Amino acid sequence: MRASLPLVAALLLGSQFPAAQAQYTATFIETSKVWGSVVADFNRDGHDDFFITGHDANDRIWYWTKKGYKPAAQVLPWVDRHDCDAADVNLDGLLDLYCAIGAEKGTGVKVNELWMQLPTGAFEAASGFGAEDPYGRGRRPVFLDFNHDGYPDLYLTNDATPRPDGQLNENRLFINQAGAGFTPVDTIASGDKGYQCAVKGDFNQDGWDDLLVCFENGPGHLYLNNQAGNFTEVASPAVGVEWKDAKLVDMNGDGRDDLVLVTLTNLFQIWLNTGAAPYFTSPAYEDLLPAKGVSVAVGDFNRDGRKDVYVVLQDLKCLTTTVDRAPDMLYTARTTAGFDKTLLPQALRGCGHMADVVDGDKLLLENGGMDFKGPNYLLSW
């Protein structure tokens, strides 16, 4: 049983924890551009593998081995690939991969990808699967079981700029037809709703998947599944500011999804779920970041049974200087309440951009970017 973080109105920061506790080992993975990442156990060996969507010619899965992560022999063909997500689309016991593709800044026509995993472990491109979304400027997809039938459905975010040809370019929901393809449906989450992040969860613990979306041009969205073919938007105080990144994670061990986020005003916040609408009423924890927060990852990095948080900070000058002077931040949960925080100087090459959690206690730090190549690392504490 995980130790719990007490529910309090505000959690106070303490002194930095001993430096030795914050030291990490960084293992270089590859150099690439970064539009997103997928962390999943693709080969069912009990360890997470990962796929960094590099928007370049080297996109491939990295598999865990006893001697470290090794790249797959199969390299996906170069396309304008942005972010991807993984799920067992046809319930054959094998994880498949869906990737959102750009559309030449909203002027071109393309086909999003669905890669079906074969029993050999190789991936085969599907065609005519119904979620190609040819006119969308694809950004972040997320699988969720919207209609509660056991098959993963798909919510796709797009950079919803108007197209000169008037074709549809917006966020869309696609319903899985028992593994035989997808059919689009309209919900209140359809339209220009944002693409900065997209996360599934279950705010009200009813067993139906809900949805969180970060909107880069305004406050985010919390969509509650109404179990009748649509969502209901949650009017929470948490959506009062724009989110740069957000996650839904049970931070205090009470079984409810809490909201962990960084805002455009460089606040790191944790909103504990109250268990009743509007679910997130006030931040239980808040800290002003020393630089621009761009990505948040939650894991048990020191393996003490409590949730810690890693926040990637971005040095805006790094894109031209290639020197990242913005430290990242590590928030380590205390035994009783609150967090100790440590500034982690960015001594690694590249510009801090994104982070994801691997096997629950390691961090995939992606120091490339959408418009430049950079090194990616696996951090272990």
Side-chain angles (χ1 to χ4, degrees):
M1 181 177 179
R2 290 186 179 274
S4 63
L5 180 67
L7 174 59
V8 293
L11 302 177
L12 300 178
L13 279 173
S15 61
Q16 294 182 348
F17 55 75
Q21 190 173 345
Q23 291 178 351
Y24 58 82
T25 299
T27 302
F28 171 75
I29 300 298
E30 66 174 342
T31 297
S32 70
K33 293 182 179 180
V34 175
W35 278 83
S37 59
V38 181
V39 176
D41 184 4
F42 285 101
N43 59 0
R44 299 169 294 171
D45 65 356
H47 288 276
D48 280 337
D49 313 302
F50 49 79
F51 177 75
I52 300 171
T53 55
H55 202 278
D56 57 27
N58 295 308
D59 282 358
R60 55 189 174 180
I61 296 174
W62 287 75
Y63 287 98
W64 177 91
T65 74
K66 292 181 179 180
K67 296 183 178 181
Y69 281 84
K70 305 296 181 185
Q74 183 177 8
V75 178
L76 300 190
W78 186 92
V79 290
D80 189 13
R81 185 177 298 114
H82 291 172
D83 199 12
C84 305
D85 200 14
D88 184 2
V89 170
N90 56 358
L91 301 190
D92 64 351
L94 303 172
L95 284 181
D96 310 304
L97 191 66
Y98 178 90
C99 297
I101 310 300
E104 299 177 12
K105 301 186 184 300
T107 63
V109 179
K110 50 77 185 183
V111 174
N112 287 347
E113 300 172 307
L114 179 61
W115 293 91
M116 304 299 294
Q117 187 173 177
L118 305 175
T120 61
F123 288 80
E124 181 177 66
S127 61
F129 54 87
E132 291 87 350
D133 193 35
Y135 304 105
R137 296 183 66 183
R139 289 301 183 262
R140 301 193 185 281
V142 58
F143 281 109
L144 72 165
D145 187 3
F146 174 71
N147 59 358
H148 209 58
D149 67 350
Y151 284 90
D153 308 307
L154 178 66
Y155 182 75
L156 173 65
T157 70
N158 283 306
D159 186 353
T161 54
R163 289 180 57 98
D165 58 11
Q167 296 290 345
L168 188 67
N169 173 30
E170 62 180 24
N171 292 9
R172 308 180 72 187
L173 179 67
F174 296 89
I175 302 300
N176 191 328
Q177 304 300 302
F182 293 88
T183 299
V185 298
D186 287 329
T187 71
I188 65 167
S190 304
D192 184 7
K193 303 298 184 179
Y195 62 83
Q196 194 68 42
C197 76
V199 181
K200 73 174 181 180
D202 184 6
F203 312 147
N204 59 353
Q205 295 178 284
D206 64 354
W208 289 65
D209 284 343
D210 308 314
L211 182 67
L212 173 156
V213 182
C214 300
F215 187 31
E216 57 286 342
N217 295 317
H221 300 280
L222 292 166
Y223 294 116
L224 189 72
N225 195 323
N226 70 2
Q227 303 186 22
N230 210 331
F231 294 102
T232 300
E233 187 149 15
V234 177
S236 165
V239 302
V241 294
E242 180 182 330
W243 307 331
K244 183 64 178 177
D245 192 22
K247 297 292 189 294
L248 291 167
V249 183
D250 180 9
M251 293 295 294
N252 59 355
D254 64 358
R256 295 193 287 256
D257 283 338
D258 303 311
L259 180 59
V260 183
L261 59 89
V262 289
T263 73
L264 193 65
T265 55
N266 300 330
L267 289 175
F268 164 58
Q269 296 178 329
I270 297 175
W271 299 68
L272 295 179
N273 191 330
T274 64
Y279 305 105
F280 309 106
T281 57
S282 62
Y285 184 89
E286 182 174 286
D287 188 37
L288 179 63
L289 299 167
K292 181 180 180 181
V294 292
S295 184
V296 60
V298 182
D300 182 8
F301 301 121
N302 60 0
R303 294 172 292 281
D304 67 352
R306 291 178 290 272
K307 293 290 184 7
D308 312 310
V309 183
Y310 190 102
V311 181
V312 180
L313 303 185
Q314 186 178 81
D315 178 359
L316 298 180
K317 295 181 180 179
C318 186
L319 301 183
T320 54
T321 65
T322 69
V323 177
D324 193 346
R325 300 190 183 280
D328 290 345
M329 293 290 295
L330 179 63
Y331 294 85
T332 303
R334 293 175 175 173
T335 304
T336 52
F339 294 85
D340 293 312
K341 66 176 183 178
T342 297
L343 286 169
L344 299 177
Q346 184 59 281
L348 303 173
R349 293 183 300 114
C351 302
H353 182 58
M354 295 184 70
D356 214 336
V357 177
V358 178
D359 279 345
D361 59 5
K362 291 177 281 294
L363 189 91
L364 180 62
L365 180 62
E366 296 145 275
N367 278 359
M370 294 182 291
D371 298 314
F372 63 92
K373 287 190 174 184
N376 305 309
Y377 302 93
L378 189 69
L379 307 188
S380 303
W381 279 264

Short mmCIF file of all heavy atoms in Angstrom, two decimals, residues 271-321:
data_model
loop_
_atom_site.label_atom_id
_atom_site.label_comp_id
_atom_site.label_asym_id
_atom_site.label_seq_id
_atom_site.Cartn_x
_atom_site.Cartn_y
_atom_site.Cartn_z
N TRP A 271 -3.68 20.17 -7.51
CA TRP A 271 -5.08 20.32 -7.08
C TRP A 271 -5.58 18.93 -6.68
O TRP A 271 -5.73 18.06 -7.52
CB TRP A 271 -5.93 20.88 -8.21
CG TRP A 271 -5.53 22.24 -8.69
CD1 TRP A 271 -4.39 22.57 -9.36
CD2 TRP A 271 -6.28 23.44 -8.54
NE1 TRP A 271 -4.38 23.91 -9.65
CE2 TRP A 271 -5.54 24.48 -9.16
CE3 TRP A 271 -7.52 23.75 -7.98
CZ2 TRP A 271 -5.99 25.79 -9.21
CZ3 TRP A 271 -7.97 25.07 -8.04
CH2 TRP A 271 -7.22 26.07 -8.64
N LEU A 272 -5.82 18.73 -5.40
CA LEU A 272 -6.33 17.44 -4.93
C LEU A 272 -7.82 17.32 -5.23
O LEU A 272 -8.58 18.26 -5.08
CB LEU A 272 -6.07 17.28 -3.44
CG LEU A 272 -4.59 17.22 -3.02
CD1 LEU A 272 -4.47 17.07 -1.51
CD2 LEU A 272 -3.85 16.10 -3.73
N ASN A 273 -8.21 16.14 -5.66
CA ASN A 273 -9.60 15.84 -6.02
C ASN A 273 -10.44 15.71 -4.75
O ASN A 273 -10.15 14.88 -3.88
CB ASN A 273 -9.63 14.55 -6.82
CG ASN A 273 -10.96 14.27 -7.48
OD1 ASN A 273 -12.01 14.67 -6.98
ND2 ASN A 273 -10.94 13.57 -8.59
N THR A 274 -11.50 16.51 -4.66
CA THR A 274 -12.34 16.50 -3.47
C THR A 274 -13.34 15.34 -3.47
O THR A 274 -13.95 15.05 -2.44
CB THR A 274 -13.13 17.80 -3.35
OG1 THR A 274 -14.04 17.90 -4.47
CG2 THR A 274 -12.20 19.01 -3.35
N GLY A 275 -13.54 14.71 -4.64
CA GLY A 275 -14.50 13.62 -4.73
C GLY A 275 -15.90 14.06 -5.11
O GLY A 275 -16.79 13.22 -5.28
N ALA A 276 -16.11 15.37 -5.24
CA ALA A 276 -17.43 15.88 -5.64
C ALA A 276 -17.22 17.08 -6.56
O ALA A 276 -16.24 17.81 -6.43
CB ALA A 276 -18.25 16.29 -4.41
N ALA A 277 -18.16 17.30 -7.48
CA ALA A 277 -18.06 18.41 -8.42
C ALA A 277 -17.89 19.73 -7.68
O ALA A 277 -18.54 19.93 -6.65
CB ALA A 277 -19.30 18.44 -9.32
N PRO A 278 -17.02 20.62 -8.13
CA PRO A 278 -16.23 20.56 -9.38
C PRO A 278 -14.89 19.87 -9.24
O PRO A 278 -14.01 20.10 -10.07
CB PRO A 278 -16.07 22.03 -9.72
CG PRO A 278 -15.95 22.70 -8.38
CD PRO A 278 -16.88 21.94 -7.48
N TYR A 279 -14.71 19.05 -8.20
CA TYR A 279 -13.57 18.14 -8.03
C TYR A 279 -12.27 18.84 -7.67
O TYR A 279 -11.55 18.36 -6.78
CB TYR A 279 -13.37 17.27 -9.29
CG TYR A 279 -14.62 16.53 -9.65
CD1 TYR A 279 -15.40 16.92 -10.72
CD2 TYR A 279 -15.07 15.46 -8.86
CE1 TYR A 279 -16.59 16.25 -11.04
CE2 TYR A 279 -16.25 14.79 -9.15
CZ TYR A 279 -17.01 15.20 -10.24
OH TYR A 279 -18.18 14.55 -10.52
N PHE A 280 -11.91 19.94 -8.31
CA PHE A 280 -10.65 20.63 -8.03
C PHE A 280 -11.00 22.07 -7.65
O PHE A 280 -11.32 22.90 -8.51
CB PHE A 280 -9.74 20.59 -9.26
CG PHE A 280 -9.56 19.20 -9.82
CD1 PHE A 280 -10.21 18.84 -11.00
CD2 PHE A 280 -8.81 18.26 -9.16
CE1 PHE A 280 -10.07 17.56 -11.53
CE2 PHE A 280 -8.67 16.98 -9.67
CZ PHE A 280 -9.30 16.62 -10.85
N THR A 281 -10.98 22.37 -6.35
CA THR A 281 -11.50 23.64 -5.87
C THR A 281 -10.41 24.64 -5.51
O THR A 281 -10.63 25.85 -5.61
CB THR A 281 -12.39 23.42 -4.64
OG1 THR A 281 -11.64 22.73 -3.63
CG2 THR A 281 -13.62 22.59 -5.01
N SER A 282 -9.26 24.18 -5.04
CA SER A 282 -8.17 25.09 -4.71
C SER A 282 -6.86 24.30 -4.73
O SER A 282 -6.85 23.10 -4.44
CB SER A 282 -8.37 25.72 -3.32
OG SER A 282 -8.38 24.72 -2.32
N PRO A 283 -5.77 24.96 -5.08
CA PRO A 283 -4.49 24.23 -5.10
C PRO A 283 -4.03 23.86 -3.69
O PRO A 283 -3.98 24.72 -2.81
CB PRO A 283 -3.53 25.22 -5.78
CG PRO A 283 -4.15 26.55 -5.58
CD PRO A 283 -5.62 26.35 -5.54
N ALA A 284 -3.73 22.59 -3.49
CA ALA A 284 -3.19 22.15 -2.21
C ALA A 284 -1.71 22.45 -2.11
O ALA A 284 -1.15 22.45 -1.01
CB ALA A 284 -3.44 20.66 -2.03
N TYR A 285 -1.11 22.68 -3.25
CA TYR A 285 0.33 22.97 -3.28
C TYR A 285 0.59 23.89 -4.47
O TYR A 285 0.03 23.70 -5.55
CB TYR A 285 1.13 21.68 -3.43
CG TYR A 285 2.62 21.87 -3.37
CD1 TYR A 285 3.29 21.83 -2.16
CD2 TYR A 285 3.35 22.11 -4.53
CE1 TYR A 285 4.66 22.02 -2.10
CE2 TYR A 285 4.72 22.29 -4.48
CZ TYR A 285 5.37 22.25 -3.26
OH TYR A 285 6.72 22.44 -3.20
N GLU A 286 1.44 24.89 -4.25
CA GLU A 286 1.77 25.83 -5.32
C GLU A 286 3.18 26.35 -5.12
O GLU A 286 3.61 26.61 -3.98
CB GLU A 286 0.77 26.99 -5.32
CG GLU A 286 1.00 28.00 -6.42
CD GLU A 286 -0.10 29.05 -6.46
OE1 GLU A 286 -1.22 28.72 -6.92
OE2 GLU A 286 0.16 30.19 -6.01
N ASP A 287 3.91 26.50 -6.22
CA ASP A 287 5.27 27.01 -6.15
C ASP A 287 5.55 27.79 -7.42
O ASP A 287 5.20 27.35 -8.53
CB ASP A 287 6.27 25.87 -6.00
CG ASP A 287 7.67 26.36 -5.71
OD1 ASP A 287 7.82 27.36 -4.98
OD2 ASP A 287 8.64 25.75 -6.22
N LEU A 288 6.17 28.96 -7.28
CA LEU A 288 6.56 29.76 -8.42
C LEU A 288 7.88 29.24 -8.96
O LEU A 288 8.88 29.20 -8.25
CB LEU A 288 6.69 31.24 -8.03
CG LEU A 288 7.11 32.20 -9.15
CD1 LEU A 288 6.06 32.21 -10.27
CD2 LEU A 288 7.33 33.60 -8.59
N LEU A 289 7.89 28.85 -10.21
CA LEU A 289 9.08 28.28 -10.84
C LEU A 289 10.06 29.39 -11.21
O LEU A 289 9.66 30.50 -11.55
CB LEU A 289 8.69 27.49 -12.09
CG LEU A 289 7.76 26.30 -11.85
CD1 LEU A 289 7.18 25.80 -13.17
CD2 LEU A 289 8.50 25.18 -11.13
N PRO A 290 11.36 29.10 -11.19
CA PRO A 290 12.36 30.12 -11.49
C PRO A 290 12.54 30.38 -12.99
O PRO A 290 13.30 31.26 -13.37
CB PRO A 290 13.64 29.55 -10.89
CG PRO A 290 13.46 28.07 -10.92
CD PRO A 290 11.99 27.85 -10.68
N ALA A 291 11.88 29.61 -13.83
CA ALA A 291 11.94 29.79 -15.28
C ALA A 291 10.67 29.21 -15.87
O ALA A 291 9.78 28.76 -15.15
CB ALA A 291 13.19 29.11 -15.87
N LYS A 292 10.58 29.21 -17.19
CA LYS A 292 9.37 28.74 -17.86
C LYS A 292 9.22 27.24 -17.72
O LYS A 292 10.06 26.46 -18.15
CB LYS A 292 9.43 29.12 -19.35
CG LYS A 292 8.19 28.70 -20.12
CD LYS A 292 8.31 29.09 -21.59
CE LYS A 292 7.06 28.68 -22.37
NZ LYS A 292 7.18 29.04 -23.80
N GLY A 293 8.12 26.79 -17.09
CA GLY A 293 7.83 25.37 -16.98
C GLY A 293 7.16 24.86 -18.23
O GLY A 293 6.17 25.45 -18.69
N VAL A 294 7.67 23.78 -18.82
CA VAL A 294 7.14 23.31 -20.10
C VAL A 294 6.62 21.88 -20.05
O VAL A 294 5.85 21.47 -20.92
CB VAL A 294 8.20 23.43 -21.21
CG1 VAL A 294 8.49 24.89 -21.52
CG2 VAL A 294 9.49 22.68 -20.85
N SER A 295 7.02 21.09 -19.05
CA SER A 295 6.57 19.70 -19.00
C SER A 295 6.62 19.21 -17.56
O SER A 295 7.52 19.58 -16.80
CB SER A 295 7.46 18.81 -19.89
OG SER A 295 7.00 17.48 -19.93
N VAL A 296 5.65 18.38 -17.18
CA VAL A 296 5.58 17.85 -15.83
C VAL A 296 5.44 16.33 -15.90
O VAL A 296 4.70 15.80 -16.74
CB VAL A 296 4.41 18.49 -15.04
CG1 VAL A 296 3.08 18.21 -15.70
CG2 VAL A 296 4.40 18.02 -13.60
N ALA A 297 6.18 15.63 -15.04
CA ALA A 297 6.15 14.17 -15.00
C ALA A 297 6.08 13.72 -13.55
O ALA A 297 6.77 14.27 -12.69
CB ALA A 297 7.40 13.58 -15.67
N VAL A 298 5.24 12.72 -13.27
CA VAL A 298 5.01 12.26 -11.91
C VAL A 298 5.42 10.80 -11.79
O VAL A 298 4.97 9.94 -12.55
CB VAL A 298 3.52 12.41 -11.52
CG1 VAL A 298 3.31 11.96 -10.07
CG2 VAL A 298 3.06 13.85 -11.70
N GLY A 299 6.30 10.50 -10.84
CA GLY A 299 6.75 9.14 -10.60
C GLY A 299 7.30 9.02 -9.19
O GLY A 299 7.40 10.01 -8.45
N ASP A 300 7.68 7.81 -8.81
CA ASP A 300 8.31 7.58 -7.50
C ASP A 300 9.81 7.44 -7.74
O ASP A 300 10.37 6.36 -7.74
CB ASP A 300 7.73 6.32 -6.86
CG ASP A 300 8.29 6.05 -5.49
OD1 ASP A 300 9.01 6.92 -4.95
OD2 ASP A 300 8.04 4.95 -4.94
N PHE A 301 10.47 8.57 -7.93
CA PHE A 301 11.85 8.56 -8.41
C PHE A 301 12.84 8.04 -7.36
O PHE A 301 13.86 7.45 -7.71
CB PHE A 301 12.25 9.95 -8.89
CG PHE A 301 11.38 10.45 -10.01
CD1 PHE A 301 10.66 11.63 -9.88
CD2 PHE A 301 11.26 9.73 -11.19
CE1 PHE A 301 9.84 12.09 -10.91
CE2 PHE A 301 10.44 10.18 -12.22
CZ PHE A 301 9.74 11.36 -12.08
N ASN A 302 12.54 8.25 -6.07
CA ASN A 302 13.43 7.71 -5.04
C ASN A 302 12.90 6.41 -4.43
O ASN A 302 13.45 5.91 -3.45
CB ASN A 302 13.69 8.75 -3.94
CG ASN A 302 12.40 9.18 -3.25
OD1 ASN A 302 11.31 8.72 -3.58
ND2 ASN A 302 12.53 10.07 -2.27
N ARG A 303 11.82 5.88 -5.01
CA ARG A 303 11.28 4.56 -4.67
C ARG A 303 10.98 4.40 -3.18
O ARG A 303 11.28 3.39 -2.57
CB ARG A 303 12.26 3.46 -5.14
CG ARG A 303 12.39 3.39 -6.64
CD ARG A 303 13.48 2.44 -7.09
NE ARG A 303 14.80 2.94 -6.74
CZ ARG A 303 15.47 3.87 -7.41
NH1 ARG A 303 14.94 4.42 -8.47
NH2 ARG A 303 16.66 4.26 -7.02
N ASP A 304 10.32 5.43 -2.62
CA ASP A 304 9.93 5.36 -1.21
C ASP A 304 8.42 5.17 -1.04
O ASP A 304 7.92 5.24 0.07
CB ASP A 304 10.40 6.60 -0.46
CG ASP A 304 9.69 7.89 -0.91
OD1 ASP A 304 8.95 7.83 -1.93
OD2 ASP A 304 9.87 8.93 -0.26
N GLY A 305 7.70 4.95 -2.16
CA GLY A 305 6.27 4.72 -2.08
C GLY A 305 5.42 5.96 -2.19
O GLY A 305 4.18 5.87 -2.13
N ARG A 306 6.05 7.14 -2.37
CA ARG A 306 5.29 8.38 -2.51
C ARG A 306 5.56 9.01 -3.87
O ARG A 306 6.63 8.82 -4.45
CB ARG A 306 5.65 9.35 -1.38
CG ARG A 306 5.16 8.91 -0.01
CD ARG A 306 5.59 9.90 1.07
NE ARG A 306 7.02 9.85 1.28
CZ ARG A 306 7.63 9.01 2.13
NH1 ARG A 306 6.91 8.13 2.82
NH2 ARG A 306 8.93 9.03 2.28
N LYS A 307 4.61 9.79 -4.36
CA LYS A 307 4.71 10.39 -5.68
C LYS A 307 5.58 11.65 -5.63
O LYS A 307 5.36 12.56 -4.83
CB LYS A 307 3.31 10.77 -6.20
CG LYS A 307 2.42 9.55 -6.48
CD LYS A 307 2.91 8.79 -7.68
CE LYS A 307 2.05 7.62 -8.09
NZ LYS A 307 0.78 7.41 -7.47
N ASP A 308 6.56 11.68 -6.51
CA ASP A 308 7.42 12.84 -6.71
C ASP A 308 7.08 13.47 -8.06
O ASP A 308 6.42 12.86 -8.90
CB ASP A 308 8.90 12.43 -6.68
CG ASP A 308 9.23 11.53 -5.50
OD1 ASP A 308 8.87 11.90 -4.36
OD2 ASP A 308 9.82 10.46 -5.71
N VAL A 309 7.55 14.69 -8.27
CA VAL A 309 7.24 15.41 -9.50
C VAL A 309 8.52 16.03 -10.07
O VAL A 309 9.29 16.67 -9.34
CB VAL A 309 6.19 16.52 -9.27
CG1 VAL A 309 5.84 17.20 -10.59
CG2 VAL A 309 4.94 15.95 -8.60
N TYR A 310 8.71 15.84 -11.37
CA TYR A 310 9.81 16.45 -12.10
C TYR A 310 9.23 17.48 -13.06
O TYR A 310 8.31 17.17 -13.83
CB TYR A 310 10.59 15.38 -12.88
CG TYR A 310 11.90 15.84 -13.49
CD1 TYR A 310 13.12 15.51 -12.88
CD2 TYR A 310 11.93 16.57 -14.66
CE1 TYR A 310 14.33 15.91 -13.43
CE2 TYR A 310 13.14 16.98 -15.21
CZ TYR A 310 14.33 16.65 -14.60
OH TYR A 310 15.53 17.04 -15.15
N VAL A 311 9.74 18.70 -13.01
CA VAL A 311 9.26 19.77 -13.89
C VAL A 311 10.42 20.22 -14.79
O VAL A 311 11.48 20.61 -14.29
CB VAL A 311 8.71 20.97 -13.10
CG1 VAL A 311 8.22 22.05 -14.06
CG2 VAL A 311 7.59 20.53 -12.17
N VAL A 312 10.21 20.14 -16.09
CA VAL A 312 11.21 20.60 -17.05
C VAL A 312 11.06 22.10 -17.23
O VAL A 312 9.97 22.59 -17.53
CB VAL A 312 11.05 19.89 -18.41
CG1 VAL A 312 12.11 20.39 -19.39
CG2 VAL A 312 11.15 18.38 -18.24
N LEU A 313 12.15 22.82 -17.02
CA LEU A 313 12.17 24.26 -17.22
C LEU A 313 12.94 24.57 -18.51
O LEU A 313 13.90 23.88 -18.84
CB LEU A 313 12.82 24.97 -16.04
CG LEU A 313 12.18 24.72 -14.67
CD1 LEU A 313 12.85 25.58 -13.61
CD2 LEU A 313 10.70 24.98 -14.69
N GLN A 314 12.53 25.61 -19.18
CA GLN A 314 13.11 25.93 -20.48
C GLN A 314 13.78 27.30 -20.45
O GLN A 314 13.21 28.29 -20.02
CB GLN A 314 12.02 25.92 -21.55
CG GLN A 314 12.54 26.10 -22.96
CD GLN A 314 11.42 26.02 -23.98
OE1 GLN A 314 10.69 26.99 -24.20
NE2 GLN A 314 11.25 24.86 -24.58
N ASP A 315 15.01 27.32 -20.90
CA ASP A 315 15.75 28.55 -21.12
C ASP A 315 15.42 29.04 -22.53
O ASP A 315 15.80 28.40 -23.52
CB ASP A 315 17.24 28.29 -20.97
CG ASP A 315 18.10 29.53 -21.22
OD1 ASP A 315 17.54 30.58 -21.54
OD2 ASP A 315 19.33 29.41 -21.10
N LEU A 316 14.70 30.13 -22.63
CA LEU A 316 14.23 30.59 -23.93
C LEU A 316 15.38 30.93 -24.88
O LEU A 316 15.23 30.87 -26.10
CB LEU A 316 13.31 31.80 -23.76
CG LEU A 316 12.04 31.54 -22.95
CD1 LEU A 316 11.21 32.82 -22.84
CD2 LEU A 316 11.22 30.42 -23.58
N LYS A 317 16.54 31.28 -24.32
CA LYS A 317 17.69 31.61 -25.15
C LYS A 317 18.41 30.37 -25.67
O LYS A 317 19.25 30.47 -26.56
CB LYS A 317 18.68 32.47 -24.36
CG LYS A 317 18.13 33.84 -23.97
CD LYS A 317 19.17 34.65 -23.22
CE LYS A 317 18.64 36.02 -22.83
NZ LYS A 317 19.65 36.81 -22.07
N CYS A 318 18.06 29.20 -25.13
CA CYS A 318 18.79 27.99 -25.48
C CYS A 318 18.64 27.64 -26.96
O CYS A 318 19.53 27.03 -27.55
CB CYS A 318 18.31 26.82 -24.62
SG CYS A 318 19.26 25.28 -24.84
N LEU A 319 17.52 28.01 -27.55
CA LEU A 319 17.29 27.67 -28.95
C LEU A 319 18.33 28.31 -29.87
O LEU A 319 18.59 27.81 -30.96
CB LEU A 319 15.88 28.09 -29.36
CG LEU A 319 14.74 27.46 -28.57
CD1 LEU A 319 13.40 27.91 -29.13
CD2 LEU A 319 14.86 25.95 -28.56
N THR A 320 18.93 29.43 -29.40
CA THR A 320 19.96 30.07 -30.21
C THR A 320 21.36 29.86 -29.63
O THR A 320 22.32 29.72 -30.38
CB THR A 320 19.69 31.58 -30.33
OG1 THR A 320 19.54 32.14 -29.02
CG2 THR A 320 18.42 31.83 -31.13
N THR A 321 21.48 29.80 -28.31
CA THR A 321 22.80 29.63 -27.70
C THR A 321 23.19 28.17 -27.56
O THR A 321 24.37 27.85 -27.40
CB THR A 321 22.84 30.26 -26.30
OG1 THR A 321 21.94 29.56 -25.43
CG2 THR A 321 22.42 31.73 -26.37
#
